[in-house]
Amino acid sequence: MLRLDALSKIYADGTEALQSVSLELGAGEIVALVGGSGCGKTTLLRLIAGLDTPSSGIIHVGSEEVRGPHAAVGIVFQEPRLLPWLTVAGNIGFGLEQLTTRERQSRIDHALDKVGLATYGGRWPRELSGGQQQRIAIARAFVTMPKVLLLDEPFSALDAFTRKSLHAHLLALWQETRPTILMVTHDVEEAITLADRVVVMRPHPGRLLETISVNQPRPRDVLAVGFDKVKRRTLHALDRSLQPEKQSAQAQGSDEFSHWW
Amino acid sequence: MSISKNQLIWIGFVVPVLLACVWEWAIGSGLVSGRLMPPPSVIFKTLQELAKSGELQLHCVATLARVGAGFALGALAGTLIGAIAGASPFIRHLIDPTLQALRAVPSIAWVPLFILWMGIFETSKVALIAVGVFFPVYLGVAGAIIAIDRKLIEVGRVFRLTRWAMIRRVMLPAVMPAWIIALRSGLGLGFMFVVAAEFMGASEGLGFLLVDGQQMGKPAQILGAILTFAILGKLTDALLVLLSRPLLAWQDTVRESL
Ligand SMILES: Nc1ncnc2c1ncn2[C@@H]1O[C@H](COP(=O)(O)OP(=O)(O)OP(=O)(O)O)[C@@H](O)[C@H]1O
Ligand SMILES: [Mg+2]
């Protein structure tokens, strides 16, 4: 569904943010992208969303090449980015102008219901908590029914409890239309809870280091033995991604922290 | 102690009423002479007489018409040129230094030139007011456009808005609060400039009442005209706020009108 071929990005100031990144995501697959700060995760999502152009390489969504913002690609940013002059309902329906009023309204209502904010449609964004705003941002991306959905650390500003409940809302929405999801996260547990595969990146320049299949039944149980095994592997890969190059990987017992930045 | 919003509006009258009472009392008790500083009662009587003869209305309408015409022209030009300068860095660098230099020219300095160009009648007066209104509106609009949050523009891009839809659905609402504030300060300057305009020779208008009061030695008329200016300025500003309120309903109400 989403195919990246040898993507590179060199910014105008010479920063080599990405070097030859290739990755393929199947339809309905959820892939989590983890890696140290500055390894090009946001850059990668912005290229796929068509907000920036790659220096070289090609992006395909389905059979179409991405050359700019694409109808089949949606994105949720790290901040909610709601438009303050639109109500909650207006924000969710922002990308649905071309629909009839009735159809738009029914999609908005349905999405509001799915994110557990059914009665909030008439409120202003400023009247919502940060977690509620982020739920609206996710709903806004889902209602246009994109085939590919990009999430850039959508929950990083939220506390652990809110985050857990948002995972459930995200999966509930995903169940309906099953978009392909590529999500960036700093939280290894979050990555393994949600994703089919975890891709570990390495900085300077940004490259893919390792892909780890999760292969656990949903809903995932953080306490399951299998979960823990995948988590160890991921943390191990992250350790290696942060070490200077050439130096071979030494196993370091760093299992205990899942926030490693 | 809790004060409701309505009570807070009335609280604004406490200071002027108190001042007026003290003033009235000071003159009434013979503490000070009221010859050059007539008491509120005399000012109100003067205003009443002017109103009865229909003169006050005539002067108010003349002044308001000038401010209205000048404001409309200045606000329109300021909005258009501000929008262009805000949207295009090239044009901004091209025209902004010149406009900033012109802005530094004191308003009265234009008077002789405008009289030479456009005569002593309405045209030159309206032009002067328009110049006064133009600058704050220009600055406000250009600044607001430059300051639009790039992150919100990106939201528009993600949803593939056309150029026109981007302007209508993102940029316009984003600059709306700053635009309203710019219009309000433009209106304030319009009232400032109308006095200068009416000083340059007018047979009607509140500025004429001021000049006439000075030449005829009628301090009550001068103070009456000043009071009328204050009231008209406040009322027109309130009207602008009222008209813009539905457009800004989404803003935090804590900041409400100032
Ligand atoms: N607009 C830009 N111009 C120049 N360099 C940039 C720009 N945006 C990002 N970079 C650089 O590109 C590299 C990758 O940045 P990016 O934002 O993609 O990292 P990230 O993986 O998302 O990091 P984080 O986890 O901190 O969000 C960094 O070195 C950054 O400094
Ligand atoms: Mg980032």
Side-chain angles (χ1 to χ4, degrees):
Chain A
M1 179 51 66
L2 174 63
R3 203 173 79 234
L4 316 178
D5 284 313
L7 276 190
S8 297
K9 176 68 183 180
I10 300 169
Y11 282 109
D13 64 359
T15 311
E16 197 172 4
L18 290 175
Q19 189 187 62
S20 191
V21 170
S22 298
L23 187 65
E24 194 160 353
L25 281 76
E29 194 182 13
I30 303 180
V31 172
L33 203 57
V34 299
S37 188
C39 69
K41 306 182 293 295
T42 297
T43 302
L44 185 60
L45 292 204
R46 291 179 59 84
L47 294 183
I48 301 170
L51 292 171
D52 254 325
T53 47
S55 308
S56 66
I58 307 177
I59 303 163
H60 279 96
V61 170
S63 56
E64 279 179 63
E65 192 182 333
V66 170
R67 295 172 175 280
H70 194 285
V73 181
I75 184 166
V76 177
F77 299 97
Q78 184 164 352
E79 333 77 39
R81 299 202 188 181
L82 302 183
L83 304 171
W85 52 84
L86 294 179
T87 59
V88 164
N91 268 286
I92 295 181
F94 189 74
L96 302 177
E97 274 279 282
Q98 73 290 356
L99 298 185
T100 64
T101 314
R102 260 190 57 210
E103 176 139 8
R104 184 174 346 134
Q105 194 56 48
S106 84
R107 282 221 213 162
I108 292 169
D109 289 341
H110 182 72
L112 274 170
D113 194 45
K114 276 282 161 189
V115 295
L117 295 171
T119 59
Y120 284 63
R123 293 218 198 180
W124 298 112
R126 66 179 154 84
E127 296 169 330
L128 303 186
S129 73
Q132 291 169 337
Q133 290 188 22
Q134 197 57 284
R135 278 191 258 172
I136 300 303
I138 291 170
R140 174 175 68 185
F142 266 99
V143 289
T144 61
M145 300 185 183
K147 294 204 177 78
V148 173
L149 188 58
L150 310 166
L151 307 171
D152 192 358
E153 301 187 43
F155 312 130
S156 64
L158 308 170
D159 64 88
F161 286 117
T162 314
R163 214 185 287 199
K164 283 243 163 60
S165 82
L166 287 196
H167 293 165
H169 288 302
L170 179 68
L171 286 176
L173 280 168
W174 173 76
Q175 286 289 355
E176 296 198 319
T177 50
R178 298 233 165 202
T180 301
I181 293 183
L182 179 58
M183 72 176 299
V184 173
T185 174
H186 265 129
D187 182 342
V188 171
E189 237 169 54
E190 178 171 279
I192 300 167
T193 304
L194 296 172
D196 300 307
R197 275 189 292 161
V198 180
V199 174
V200 180
M201 284 185 75
R202 178 184 229 315
H204 309 301
R207 284 148 298 164
L208 303 188
L209 177 73
E210 190 172 334
T211 301
I212 297 151
S213 297
V214 177
N215 276 330
Q216 300 287 316
R218 292 176 203 272
R220 307 258 160 86
D221 177 7
V222 188
L223 300 173
V225 180
F227 192 100
D228 206 49
K229 258 166 102 179
V230 179
K231 187 169 150 189
R232 274 162 200 269
R233 270 192 67 190
T234 310
L235 288 170
H236 189 73
L238 275 168
D239 266 352
R240 277 190 294 133
S241 81
L242 296 177
Q243 275 162 14
E245 248 154 302
K246 294 273 151 78
Q247 199 176 322
S248 70
Q250 311 163 340
Q252 284 181 349
S254 57
D255 304 352
E256 278 321 305
F257 52 102
S258 62
H259 291 83
W260 39 268
W261 65 85
Chain B
M1 191 176 79
S2 71
I3 303 175
S4 81
K5 229 171 128 185
N6 279 334
Q7 282 171 307
L8 270 179
I9 291 175
W10 293 109
I11 221 170
F13 287 100
V14 169
V15 172
V17 168
L18 212 64
L19 281 177
C21 289
V22 169
W23 182 4
E24 186 78 46
W25 169 82
I27 291 165
S29 67
L31 210 65
V32 291
S33 128
R35 205 177 61 77
L36 286 177
M37 254 320 235
S41 56
V42 176
I43 297 172
F44 280 118
K45 227 178 82 207
T46 310
L47 282 177
Q48 219 172 19
E49 278 159 15
L50 282 171
K52 214 181 286 169
S53 66
E55 271 180 86
L56 185 63
Q57 292 84 325
L58 184 83
H59 295 306
C60 283
V61 167
T63 295
L64 283 177
R66 286 174 188 134
V67 173
F71 177 74
L73 279 175
L76 191 70
T79 303
L80 283 179
I81 299 177
I84 293 168
S88 155
F90 175 74
I91 294 189
R92 180 162 69 248
H93 285 108
L94 188 70
I95 63 174
D96 191 66
T98 311
L99 288 174
Q100 296 293 350
L102 288 177
R103 192 169 75 98
V105 177
S107 58
I108 306 294
W110 296 113
V111 170
L113 197 62
F114 281 11
I115 290 179
L116 268 185
W117 282 351
M118 295 172 255
I120 197 147
F121 299 111
E122 291 308 309
T123 320
S124 57
K125 293 185 173 58
V126 169
L128 184 67
I129 297 164
V131 166
V133 174
F134 171 82
F135 286 106
V137 175
Y138 162 79
L139 282 179
V141 169
I145 290 179
I146 294 167
I148 294 179
D149 191 351
R150 211 177 54 87
K151 291 180 167 174
L152 296 186
I153 298 281
E154 262 179 15
V155 171
R157 285 182 59 201
V158 166
F159 287 104
R160 305 194 305 153
L161 298 191
T162 59
R163 199 184 177 78
W164 167 238
M166 184 72 93
I167 291 173
R168 182 174 59 86
R169 299 181 63 196
V170 180
M171 296 169 91
L172 217 54
V175 300
M176 190 62 75
W179 187 58
I180 302 289
I181 289 175
L183 287 183
R184 287 176 68 188
S185 47
L187 185 63
L189 276 181
F191 271 100
M192 222 168 268
F193 278 52
V194 79
V195 180
E198 289 177 344
F199 276 2
M200 69 200 206
S203 54
E204 51 194 30
L206 292 171
F208 163 77
L209 274 187
L210 290 173
V211 177
D212 184 62
Q214 180 221 329
Q215 285 168 351
M216 299 299 179
K218 293 189 280 192
Q221 182 179 315
I222 296 179
L223 286 163
I226 289 175
L227 192 66
T228 312
F229 262 124
I231 292 169
L232 285 186
K234 182 66 199 163
L235 281 181
T236 47
D237 183 60
L239 184 70
L240 201 57
V241 170
L242 199 72
L243 289 177
S244 65
R245 182 155 295 170
L247 297 174
L248 300 180
W250 53 273
Q251 277 201 312
D252 244 325
T253 44
V254 180
R255 277 183 284 166
E256 55 158 340
S257 57
L258 242 187

